[in-house]
Amino acid sequence: MKLRQICYSGIMVLILFAGSVMPAQAQFDDAGEILRAGQQDANILLEQYLKPVGKGFGADLNSGWFSTAKTHATLGFDITLNVGAAVVPSSDQMFNVEDLPLQEVEYISNGPQTPTVAGDDQTGALIGSESTFFNPNTGQNERVFELNLPQGSGYPYIPAPMLQASVGVIKNTDVTVRYLPQVPLPNDLEVKMFGLGLKHEINQWLPGGNLLPVDLSVQGGFTNLDATLPFEVTPNADQDTENPFPASTWEGQEANFSANAFTINALVGKTLPIISVFGGVGYQTSSVDIGVDGSYPVEAPNDQYNPTDPDSKPKTIEKIDDPVSLSYDENSSLHALIGARLKLLIFNISASYTLSEYPIAQVGVGIGIR
């Protein structure tokens, strides 16, 4: 079973939804059979490899809520498509295999520093099983497996688009909704999303606040995104491996992705007829869970192997259920931001930059009235 199938299927939930331009499949083409390392080691390795996705996508969901500090007039509205990209810091573009508490595999060669999904497009570290088996075809003891960990994409960004609508209600308050019903996308990917945000001007509550030359507001927003991607991983078939399982064993395989993100911001800005500028500080937190569910084939030494029996094989297929469960839930940080919006009749073009652990660069286009 190829690591590219496991990694690629799980991460495609993110990449397909995000519309990422990074060459997602290329970094998995030379990957090996990492699940044979055992469930514990596979989770440890994938947690490190996918860390930029878990942290970067959560940061993306917390961005793009506004393009000005000022709220709409009552029943004024805008519809905006934002495209943001989290910039992956260099510290999360590589990890050291020898620093990980692996139980059944060990580092072999090619340098222990190996790329994450957002790292360089280079061959990863060579690892292999500590256990061996006697191969009668070669007359030697061999590792159950050896593999190079997957390459990075060479693309240190985690992008995400966001379509949302805002409307002005009472007391200089905007309500913003992000919504996507469960819809099928390419490769049988299904995604649904809901987000709700509020922005409220506070000039009206300050003594003399309406005379201030700037707009002051507070904003908060929550986003939830869930996605599933079915796929198929079947056992390798070769002369050295016995497979005792029927084909139906491997049905129902899928990758699941769930993200929750919350942010709150204090904003100051100046709105002119054509251009608006804004800045602010805030707090953001997110949690991202990635799971691979179903039953999966892994190869292991055959304890019943009899070298004198021509029908006996030195390796056998074993089954692992729900092998991958990753959680990235320590993604809380303060941030500062700055941005501007250009308004041309009813059309808006905006750009912003958020300085945080994973900085976010963002652009947006939309239409708006009042």
Side-chain angles (χ1 to χ4, degrees):
M1 177 170 40
K2 301 299 184 183
L3 172 59
R4 73 176 179 85
Q5 293 173 296
I6 298 300
C7 289
Y8 180 63
S9 299
I11 191 176
M12 276 298 292
V13 171
L14 308 180
I15 294 174
L16 285 176
F17 172 74
S20 171
V21 298
M22 70 197 235
Q25 190 166 4
Q27 66 266 30
F28 302 113
D29 285 343
D30 298 326
E33 300 169 345
I34 196 171
L35 283 187
R36 290 187 299 173
Q39 186 168 356
Q40 179 178 346
D41 287 351
N43 276 267
I44 291 172
L45 290 165
L46 287 174
E47 181 179 17
Q48 293 298 313
Y49 184 69
L50 296 178
K51 181 188 290 186
V53 175
K55 298 178 72 172
F57 199 80
D60 284 332
L61 292 181
N62 275 323
S63 64
W65 281 106
F66 46 83
S67 59
T68 174
K70 187 173 180 61
T71 57
H72 290 292
T74 302
L75 299 184
F77 71 92
D78 70 75
I79 301 173
T80 305
L81 173 64
N82 295 302
V83 180
V87 182
V88 180
S90 58
S91 60
D92 284 352
Q93 295 178 28
M94 302 284 288
F95 66 96
N96 192 318
V97 177
E98 291 186 315
D99 291 341
L100 303 180
L102 301 175
Q103 300 296 313
E104 299 180 40
V105 301
E106 60 186 1
Y107 165 72
I108 299 174
S109 65
N110 202 35
Q113 290 285 340
T114 193
T116 67
V117 67
D120 292 337
D121 184 8
Q122 65 182 46
T123 302
L126 179 65
I127 64 172
S129 62
E130 294 182 346
S131 60
T132 60
F133 73 99
F134 177 76
N135 189 337
N137 297 316
T138 63
Q140 297 178 346
N141 285 328
E142 298 179 1
R143 295 180 188 268
V144 176
F145 73 92
E146 292 184 5
L147 63 95
N148 284 103
L149 292 176
Q151 299 170 226
S153 65
Y155 185 81
Y157 308 98
I158 305 298
M162 204 66 59
L163 182 65
Q164 62 189 37
S166 298
V167 62
V169 293
I170 62 172
K171 295 292 184 179
N172 296 333
T173 301
D174 282 354
V175 177
T176 302
V177 175
R178 296 170 168 177
Y179 177 68
L180 182 68
Q182 185 163 313
V183 294
L185 295 173
N187 293 343
D188 295 323
L189 171 67
E190 292 188 350
V191 177
K192 62 179 179 180
M193 180 182 67
F194 176 77
L196 180 65
L198 295 174
K199 184 170 66 173
H200 182 70
E201 276 193 48
I202 61 175
N203 295 63
Q204 61 190 310
W205 307 112
L206 301 175
N210 292 327
L211 301 177
L212 293 175
V214 294
D215 305 310
L216 302 174
S217 60
V218 292
Q219 185 276 336
F222 170 80
T223 306
N224 167 260
L225 184 145
D226 293 301
T228 60
L229 178 68
F231 56 98
E232 182 179 5
V233 179
T234 56
N236 287 334
D238 59 51
Q239 62 179 353
D240 295 326
T241 307
E242 178 184 13
N243 178 17
F245 296 99
S248 59
T249 304
W250 320 119
E251 295 176 356
Q253 299 172 348
E254 67 177 15
N256 296 290
F257 170 76
S258 179
N260 292 290
F262 173 77
T263 185
I264 186 168
N265 299 281
L267 305 173
V268 58
K270 180 66 176 179
T271 301
L272 300 172
I274 296 179
I275 191 169
S276 301
V277 294
F278 64 90
V281 294
Y283 171 81
Q284 63 185 31
T285 184
S286 66
S287 63
V288 174
D289 297 317
I290 302 173
V292 176
D293 299 334
S295 298
Y296 298 84
V298 299
E299 295 177 27
N302 186 357
D303 294 336
Q304 306 301 318
Y305 172 59
N306 181 359
T308 64
D309 181 355
D311 294 327
S312 184
K313 298 183 179 182
K315 293 190 294 182
T316 186
I317 295 296
E318 295 181 351
K319 180 170 69 75
I320 294 181
D321 297 323
D322 304 333
V324 176
S325 179
L326 307 177
S327 294
Y328 303 91
D329 54 8
E330 297 181 0
N331 303 328
S332 300
S333 65
L334 299 174
H335 61 251
L337 56 93
I338 189 171
R341 185 191 69 182
L342 181 65
K343 185 175 180 63
L344 304 172
L345 299 178
I346 65 171
F347 300 100
N348 301 321
I349 302 173
S350 61
S352 65
Y353 183 80
T354 302
L355 181 62
S356 61
E357 180 185 7
Y358 272 54
I360 306 291
Q362 187 161 28
V363 295
V365 294
I367 59 174
I369 296 176
R370 304 177 68 201

Short mmCIF file of all heavy atoms in Angstrom, two decimals, residues 260-313:
data_model
loop_
_atom_site.label_atom_id
_atom_site.label_comp_id
_atom_site.label_asym_id
_atom_site.label_seq_id
_atom_site.Cartn_x
_atom_site.Cartn_y
_atom_site.Cartn_z
N ASN A 260 -12.43 23.63 12.62
CA ASN A 260 -13.18 24.68 13.31
C ASN A 260 -12.23 25.82 13.60
O ASN A 260 -11.10 25.59 14.07
CB ASN A 260 -13.77 24.15 14.62
CG ASN A 260 -14.86 23.13 14.40
OD1 ASN A 260 -15.94 23.44 13.93
ND2 ASN A 260 -14.57 21.87 14.72
N ALA A 261 -12.67 27.04 13.33
CA ALA A 261 -11.80 28.19 13.52
C ALA A 261 -12.60 29.35 14.10
O ALA A 261 -13.76 29.58 13.73
CB ALA A 261 -11.17 28.61 12.18
N PHE A 262 -11.97 30.09 15.02
CA PHE A 262 -12.62 31.25 15.65
C PHE A 262 -11.62 32.38 15.77
O PHE A 262 -10.45 32.17 16.10
CB PHE A 262 -13.14 30.89 17.04
CG PHE A 262 -13.65 32.08 17.81
CD1 PHE A 262 -14.89 32.62 17.52
CD2 PHE A 262 -12.87 32.68 18.80
CE1 PHE A 262 -15.35 33.74 18.21
CE2 PHE A 262 -13.34 33.79 19.49
CZ PHE A 262 -14.59 34.32 19.19
N THR A 263 -12.08 33.59 15.47
CA THR A 263 -11.23 34.77 15.59
C THR A 263 -12.02 35.95 16.13
O THR A 263 -13.25 36.03 15.96
CB THR A 263 -10.61 35.14 14.23
OG1 THR A 263 -9.69 36.21 14.39
CG2 THR A 263 -11.69 35.57 13.23
N ILE A 264 -11.33 36.85 16.81
CA ILE A 264 -11.91 38.10 17.26
C ILE A 264 -10.89 39.21 17.02
O ILE A 264 -9.69 38.99 17.19
CB ILE A 264 -12.33 38.04 18.75
CG1 ILE A 264 -13.08 39.32 19.15
CG2 ILE A 264 -11.13 37.78 19.65
CD1 ILE A 264 -13.76 39.22 20.50
N ASN A 265 -11.38 40.39 16.56
CA ASN A 265 -10.47 41.47 16.14
C ASN A 265 -10.97 42.83 16.60
O ASN A 265 -12.19 43.07 16.68
CB ASN A 265 -10.36 41.49 14.61
CG ASN A 265 -9.80 40.21 14.04
OD1 ASN A 265 -8.60 39.98 14.07
ND2 ASN A 265 -10.68 39.35 13.52
N ALA A 266 -10.04 43.70 16.90
CA ALA A 266 -10.32 45.12 17.14
C ALA A 266 -9.73 45.90 15.97
O ALA A 266 -8.54 45.76 15.66
CB ALA A 266 -9.68 45.57 18.46
N LEU A 267 -10.57 46.74 15.31
CA LEU A 267 -10.18 47.35 14.05
C LEU A 267 -10.26 48.87 14.12
O LEU A 267 -11.10 49.45 14.82
CB LEU A 267 -11.10 46.87 12.92
CG LEU A 267 -11.22 45.36 12.71
CD1 LEU A 267 -12.29 45.05 11.68
CD2 LEU A 267 -9.89 44.77 12.32
N VAL A 268 -9.39 49.51 13.36
CA VAL A 268 -9.44 50.94 13.15
C VAL A 268 -9.20 51.19 11.67
O VAL A 268 -8.37 50.52 11.04
CB VAL A 268 -8.38 51.68 14.01
CG1 VAL A 268 -6.97 51.19 13.72
CG2 VAL A 268 -8.48 53.20 13.81
N GLY A 269 -9.94 52.11 11.09
CA GLY A 269 -9.79 52.34 9.66
C GLY A 269 -10.32 53.70 9.24
O GLY A 269 -10.97 54.41 10.01
N LYS A 270 -10.04 54.04 7.99
CA LYS A 270 -10.52 55.27 7.39
C LYS A 270 -11.16 54.95 6.05
O LYS A 270 -10.54 54.29 5.20
CB LYS A 270 -9.36 56.26 7.19
CG LYS A 270 -9.77 57.59 6.57
CD LYS A 270 -10.68 58.39 7.50
CE LYS A 270 -11.00 59.77 6.92
NZ LYS A 270 -11.89 60.55 7.82
N THR A 271 -12.41 55.35 5.87
CA THR A 271 -13.15 55.06 4.65
C THR A 271 -13.35 56.33 3.85
O THR A 271 -13.95 57.30 4.33
CB THR A 271 -14.51 54.43 4.97
OG1 THR A 271 -14.30 53.22 5.71
CG2 THR A 271 -15.28 54.10 3.71
N LEU A 272 -12.86 56.33 2.63
CA LEU A 272 -13.01 57.43 1.69
C LEU A 272 -13.87 56.96 0.52
O LEU A 272 -14.15 55.76 0.39
CB LEU A 272 -11.63 57.90 1.21
CG LEU A 272 -10.69 58.41 2.32
CD1 LEU A 272 -9.31 58.67 1.77
CD2 LEU A 272 -11.28 59.65 2.98
N PRO A 273 -14.30 57.83 -0.37
CA PRO A 273 -15.21 57.41 -1.44
C PRO A 273 -14.65 56.29 -2.33
O PRO A 273 -15.42 55.44 -2.80
CB PRO A 273 -15.40 58.70 -2.25
CG PRO A 273 -15.23 59.79 -1.25
CD PRO A 273 -14.16 59.30 -0.31
N ILE A 274 -13.36 56.25 -2.56
CA ILE A 274 -12.79 55.25 -3.46
C ILE A 274 -11.97 54.21 -2.73
O ILE A 274 -12.02 53.02 -3.03
CB ILE A 274 -11.94 55.92 -4.56
CG1 ILE A 274 -12.84 56.80 -5.44
CG2 ILE A 274 -11.23 54.88 -5.41
CD1 ILE A 274 -12.09 57.54 -6.54
N ILE A 275 -11.22 54.65 -1.73
CA ILE A 275 -10.30 53.74 -1.07
C ILE A 275 -10.55 53.73 0.44
O ILE A 275 -10.93 54.75 1.03
CB ILE A 275 -8.83 54.10 -1.37
CG1 ILE A 275 -7.90 52.98 -0.90
CG2 ILE A 275 -8.46 55.44 -0.75
CD1 ILE A 275 -6.48 53.14 -1.39
N SER A 276 -10.37 52.57 1.03
CA SER A 276 -10.45 52.42 2.48
C SER A 276 -9.19 51.70 2.95
O SER A 276 -8.68 50.81 2.28
CB SER A 276 -11.68 51.60 2.88
OG SER A 276 -12.87 52.19 2.44
N VAL A 277 -8.71 52.12 4.11
CA VAL A 277 -7.57 51.44 4.72
C VAL A 277 -7.96 51.03 6.14
O VAL A 277 -8.82 51.65 6.77
CB VAL A 277 -6.32 52.34 4.75
CG1 VAL A 277 -5.83 52.62 3.34
CG2 VAL A 277 -6.59 53.64 5.50
N PHE A 278 -7.36 49.96 6.63
CA PHE A 278 -7.69 49.49 7.96
C PHE A 278 -6.50 48.73 8.55
O PHE A 278 -5.60 48.27 7.84
CB PHE A 278 -8.93 48.60 7.95
CG PHE A 278 -8.76 47.31 7.18
CD1 PHE A 278 -8.31 46.15 7.79
CD2 PHE A 278 -9.06 47.27 5.82
CE1 PHE A 278 -8.16 44.98 7.08
CE2 PHE A 278 -8.91 46.09 5.10
CZ PHE A 278 -8.45 44.94 5.73
N GLY A 279 -6.53 48.61 9.86
CA GLY A 279 -5.54 47.83 10.58
C GLY A 279 -6.17 47.34 11.86
O GLY A 279 -7.29 47.73 12.23
N GLY A 280 -5.46 46.47 12.56
CA GLY A 280 -6.03 45.97 13.80
C GLY A 280 -5.17 44.91 14.44
O GLY A 280 -4.12 44.51 13.94
N VAL A 281 -5.66 44.45 15.58
CA VAL A 281 -5.03 43.35 16.31
C VAL A 281 -6.14 42.38 16.69
O VAL A 281 -7.32 42.74 16.75
CB VAL A 281 -4.29 43.84 17.57
CG1 VAL A 281 -3.11 44.72 17.19
CG2 VAL A 281 -5.24 44.59 18.50
N GLY A 282 -5.75 41.13 16.95
CA GLY A 282 -6.77 40.16 17.29
C GLY A 282 -6.19 38.87 17.82
O GLY A 282 -4.99 38.73 18.03
N TYR A 283 -7.09 37.92 18.02
CA TYR A 283 -6.74 36.60 18.54
C TYR A 283 -7.43 35.57 17.67
O TYR A 283 -8.59 35.76 17.25
CB TYR A 283 -7.22 36.48 19.99
CG TYR A 283 -7.10 35.08 20.57
CD1 TYR A 283 -5.89 34.61 21.05
CD2 TYR A 283 -8.22 34.24 20.62
CE1 TYR A 283 -5.77 33.33 21.58
CE2 TYR A 283 -8.11 32.96 21.14
CZ TYR A 283 -6.89 32.51 21.62
OH TYR A 283 -6.79 31.24 22.14
N GLN A 284 -6.74 34.48 17.39
CA GLN A 284 -7.33 33.42 16.58
C GLN A 284 -6.99 32.06 17.17
O GLN A 284 -5.94 31.87 17.79
CB GLN A 284 -6.83 33.50 15.14
CG GLN A 284 -5.33 33.28 14.99
CD GLN A 284 -4.86 33.49 13.56
OE1 GLN A 284 -5.44 34.29 12.81
NE2 GLN A 284 -3.81 32.79 13.16
N THR A 285 -7.91 31.12 16.97
CA THR A 285 -7.68 29.75 17.39
C THR A 285 -8.36 28.83 16.39
O THR A 285 -9.35 29.20 15.74
CB THR A 285 -8.22 29.50 18.81
OG1 THR A 285 -7.89 28.18 19.23
CG2 THR A 285 -9.73 29.68 18.87
N SER A 286 -7.83 27.62 16.24
CA SER A 286 -8.41 26.67 15.30
C SER A 286 -8.06 25.26 15.72
O SER A 286 -7.09 25.02 16.44
CB SER A 286 -7.91 26.93 13.86
OG SER A 286 -6.52 26.66 13.76
N SER A 287 -8.87 24.32 15.25
CA SER A 287 -8.58 22.89 15.42
C SER A 287 -8.88 22.21 14.10
O SER A 287 -9.89 22.50 13.44
CB SER A 287 -9.43 22.28 16.54
OG SER A 287 -10.80 22.35 16.22
N VAL A 288 -7.98 21.32 13.70
CA VAL A 288 -8.11 20.58 12.45
C VAL A 288 -7.89 19.11 12.75
O VAL A 288 -6.89 18.73 13.36
CB VAL A 288 -7.11 21.08 11.39
CG1 VAL A 288 -7.17 20.20 10.14
CG2 VAL A 288 -7.39 22.54 11.02
N ASP A 289 -8.83 18.26 12.33
CA ASP A 289 -8.72 16.81 12.50
C ASP A 289 -8.72 16.14 11.14
O ASP A 289 -9.55 16.45 10.27
CB ASP A 289 -9.89 16.27 13.33
CG ASP A 289 -9.92 16.83 14.74
OD1 ASP A 289 -8.84 16.91 15.36
OD2 ASP A 289 -11.01 17.20 15.22
N ILE A 290 -7.79 15.22 10.94
CA ILE A 290 -7.68 14.45 9.71
C ILE A 290 -7.70 12.98 10.09
O ILE A 290 -6.88 12.53 10.90
CB ILE A 290 -6.40 14.78 8.94
CG1 ILE A 290 -6.34 16.28 8.60
CG2 ILE A 290 -6.30 13.95 7.65
CD1 ILE A 290 -5.02 16.72 7.98
N GLY A 291 -8.62 12.23 9.52
CA GLY A 291 -8.71 10.80 9.81
C GLY A 291 -8.79 9.98 8.54
O GLY A 291 -9.31 10.44 7.52
N VAL A 292 -8.26 8.78 8.59
CA VAL A 292 -8.39 7.81 7.50
C VAL A 292 -9.12 6.61 8.08
O VAL A 292 -8.60 5.92 8.96
CB VAL A 292 -7.02 7.41 6.92
CG1 VAL A 292 -7.19 6.34 5.85
CG2 VAL A 292 -6.32 8.63 6.32
N ASP A 293 -10.37 6.37 7.61
CA ASP A 293 -11.24 5.34 8.18
C ASP A 293 -11.37 4.15 7.24
O ASP A 293 -11.17 4.26 6.03
CB ASP A 293 -12.63 5.93 8.46
CG ASP A 293 -12.58 7.07 9.46
OD1 ASP A 293 -11.64 7.10 10.28
OD2 ASP A 293 -13.48 7.93 9.42
N GLY A 294 -11.70 3.00 7.81
CA GLY A 294 -11.85 1.78 7.03
C GLY A 294 -10.76 0.78 7.37
O GLY A 294 -9.95 0.99 8.26
N SER A 295 -10.75 -0.32 6.65
CA SER A 295 -9.75 -1.37 6.84
C SER A 295 -8.72 -1.31 5.72
O SER A 295 -9.09 -1.12 4.55
CB SER A 295 -10.42 -2.75 6.85
OG SER A 295 -11.32 -2.86 7.94
N TYR A 296 -7.44 -1.50 6.09
CA TYR A 296 -6.35 -1.34 5.14
C TYR A 296 -5.37 -2.50 5.26
O TYR A 296 -5.08 -2.98 6.36
CB TYR A 296 -5.62 -0.02 5.38
CG TYR A 296 -6.54 1.15 5.18
CD1 TYR A 296 -7.38 1.58 6.20
CD2 TYR A 296 -6.62 1.80 3.95
CE1 TYR A 296 -8.26 2.63 6.01
CE2 TYR A 296 -7.48 2.85 3.75
CZ TYR A 296 -8.31 3.26 4.78
OH TYR A 296 -9.19 4.28 4.58
N PRO A 297 -4.84 -2.96 4.12
CA PRO A 297 -3.89 -4.07 4.14
C PRO A 297 -2.47 -3.59 4.44
O PRO A 297 -2.03 -2.57 3.94
CB PRO A 297 -3.97 -4.62 2.71
CG PRO A 297 -4.34 -3.43 1.88
CD PRO A 297 -5.21 -2.56 2.75
N VAL A 298 -1.78 -4.34 5.29
CA VAL A 298 -0.37 -4.08 5.57
C VAL A 298 0.38 -5.41 5.47
O VAL A 298 -0.20 -6.48 5.68
CB VAL A 298 -0.15 -3.45 6.95
CG1 VAL A 298 -0.84 -2.12 7.06
CG2 VAL A 298 -0.61 -4.39 8.06
N GLU A 299 1.64 -5.35 5.15
CA GLU A 299 2.45 -6.56 5.02
C GLU A 299 3.26 -6.81 6.28
O GLU A 299 3.73 -5.87 6.92
CB GLU A 299 3.37 -6.45 3.81
CG GLU A 299 2.63 -6.38 2.49
CD GLU A 299 3.57 -6.19 1.32
OE1 GLU A 299 4.74 -6.60 1.42
OE2 GLU A 299 3.13 -5.61 0.31
N ALA A 300 3.43 -8.08 6.62
CA ALA A 300 4.17 -8.47 7.82
C ALA A 300 4.82 -9.83 7.57
O ALA A 300 4.41 -10.58 6.67
CB ALA A 300 3.23 -8.54 9.02
N PRO A 301 5.84 -10.19 8.37
CA PRO A 301 6.40 -11.54 8.26
C PRO A 301 5.34 -12.59 8.57
O PRO A 301 4.50 -12.40 9.44
CB PRO A 301 7.51 -11.54 9.33
CG PRO A 301 7.83 -10.10 9.55
CD PRO A 301 6.56 -9.35 9.35
N ASN A 302 5.38 -13.69 7.86
CA ASN A 302 4.42 -14.78 8.05
C ASN A 302 4.97 -15.75 9.09
O ASN A 302 5.92 -16.50 8.83
CB ASN A 302 4.18 -15.50 6.72
CG ASN A 302 3.08 -16.55 6.82
OD1 ASN A 302 2.53 -16.79 7.89
ND2 ASN A 302 2.77 -17.17 5.69
N ASP A 303 4.36 -15.76 10.28
CA ASP A 303 4.83 -16.63 11.36
C ASP A 303 4.65 -18.11 11.02
O ASP A 303 5.30 -18.97 11.63
CB ASP A 303 4.10 -16.30 12.66
CG ASP A 303 4.44 -14.92 13.19
OD1 ASP A 303 5.52 -14.41 12.84
OD2 ASP A 303 3.61 -14.35 13.93
N GLN A 304 3.77 -18.41 10.08
CA GLN A 304 3.49 -19.79 9.70
C GLN A 304 4.31 -20.23 8.49
O GLN A 304 4.06 -21.31 7.93
CB GLN A 304 1.99 -19.95 9.40
CG GLN A 304 1.06 -19.47 10.50
CD GLN A 304 1.30 -20.21 11.81
OE1 GLN A 304 1.48 -21.44 11.81
NE2 GLN A 304 1.31 -19.48 12.92
N TYR A 305 5.27 -19.41 8.11
CA TYR A 305 6.04 -19.73 6.90
C TYR A 305 6.84 -21.01 7.08
O TYR A 305 7.54 -21.19 8.08
CB TYR A 305 6.97 -18.56 6.56
CG TYR A 305 7.94 -18.86 5.46
CD1 TYR A 305 7.49 -19.22 4.19
CD2 TYR A 305 9.31 -18.79 5.69
CE1 TYR A 305 8.37 -19.49 3.17
CE2 TYR A 305 10.21 -19.06 4.67
CZ TYR A 305 9.74 -19.42 3.41
OH TYR A 305 10.62 -19.70 2.40
N ASN A 306 6.74 -21.89 6.09
CA ASN A 306 7.49 -23.15 6.06
C ASN A 306 8.29 -23.21 4.77
O ASN A 306 7.70 -23.42 3.69
CB ASN A 306 6.53 -24.34 6.16
CG ASN A 306 7.26 -25.67 6.17
OD1 ASN A 306 8.49 -25.73 6.08
ND2 ASN A 306 6.48 -26.75 6.25
N PRO A 307 9.61 -23.00 4.83
CA PRO A 307 10.39 -22.94 3.59
C PRO A 307 10.39 -24.24 2.80
O PRO A 307 10.75 -24.24 1.62
CB PRO A 307 11.80 -22.58 4.08
CG PRO A 307 11.82 -22.97 5.51
CD PRO A 307 10.42 -22.78 6.01
N THR A 308 9.99 -25.35 3.44
CA THR A 308 9.95 -26.63 2.71
C THR A 308 8.63 -26.83 1.97
O THR A 308 8.50 -27.77 1.18
CB THR A 308 10.16 -27.80 3.68
OG1 THR A 308 9.08 -27.84 4.62
CG2 THR A 308 11.49 -27.65 4.42
N ASP A 309 7.64 -25.94 2.25
CA ASP A 309 6.33 -26.03 1.59
C ASP A 309 6.30 -25.05 0.43
O ASP A 309 6.35 -23.83 0.64
CB ASP A 309 5.22 -25.71 2.59
CG ASP A 309 3.83 -25.81 1.98
OD1 ASP A 309 3.71 -26.04 0.76
OD2 ASP A 309 2.85 -25.62 2.75
N PRO A 310 6.20 -25.51 -0.82
CA PRO A 310 6.22 -24.59 -1.97
C PRO A 310 5.04 -23.62 -2.00
O PRO A 310 5.10 -22.58 -2.67
CB PRO A 310 6.21 -25.53 -3.18
CG PRO A 310 5.62 -26.81 -2.67
CD PRO A 310 6.07 -26.91 -1.23
N ASP A 311 3.97 -23.94 -1.28
CA ASP A 311 2.80 -23.04 -1.26
C ASP A 311 2.87 -22.03 -0.11
O ASP A 311 2.01 -21.15 -0.01
CB ASP A 311 1.52 -23.86 -1.13
CG ASP A 311 1.25 -24.72 -2.36
OD1 ASP A 311 1.61 -24.27 -3.47
OD2 ASP A 311 0.70 -25.82 -2.19
N SER A 312 3.87 -22.19 0.77
CA SER A 312 3.99 -21.27 1.89
C SER A 312 4.78 -20.04 1.46
O SER A 312 5.72 -20.13 0.67
CB SER A 312 4.70 -21.96 3.05
OG SER A 312 4.76 -21.12 4.19
N LYS A 313 4.38 -18.87 1.99
CA LYS A 313 5.00 -17.60 1.58
C LYS A 313 5.57 -16.88 2.80
O LYS A 313 4.97 -16.91 3.89
CB LYS A 313 3.99 -16.72 0.86
CG LYS A 313 3.47 -17.37 -0.42
CD LYS A 313 2.52 -16.47 -1.18
CE LYS A 313 2.04 -17.14 -2.45
NZ LYS A 313 1.14 -16.26 -3.24
#
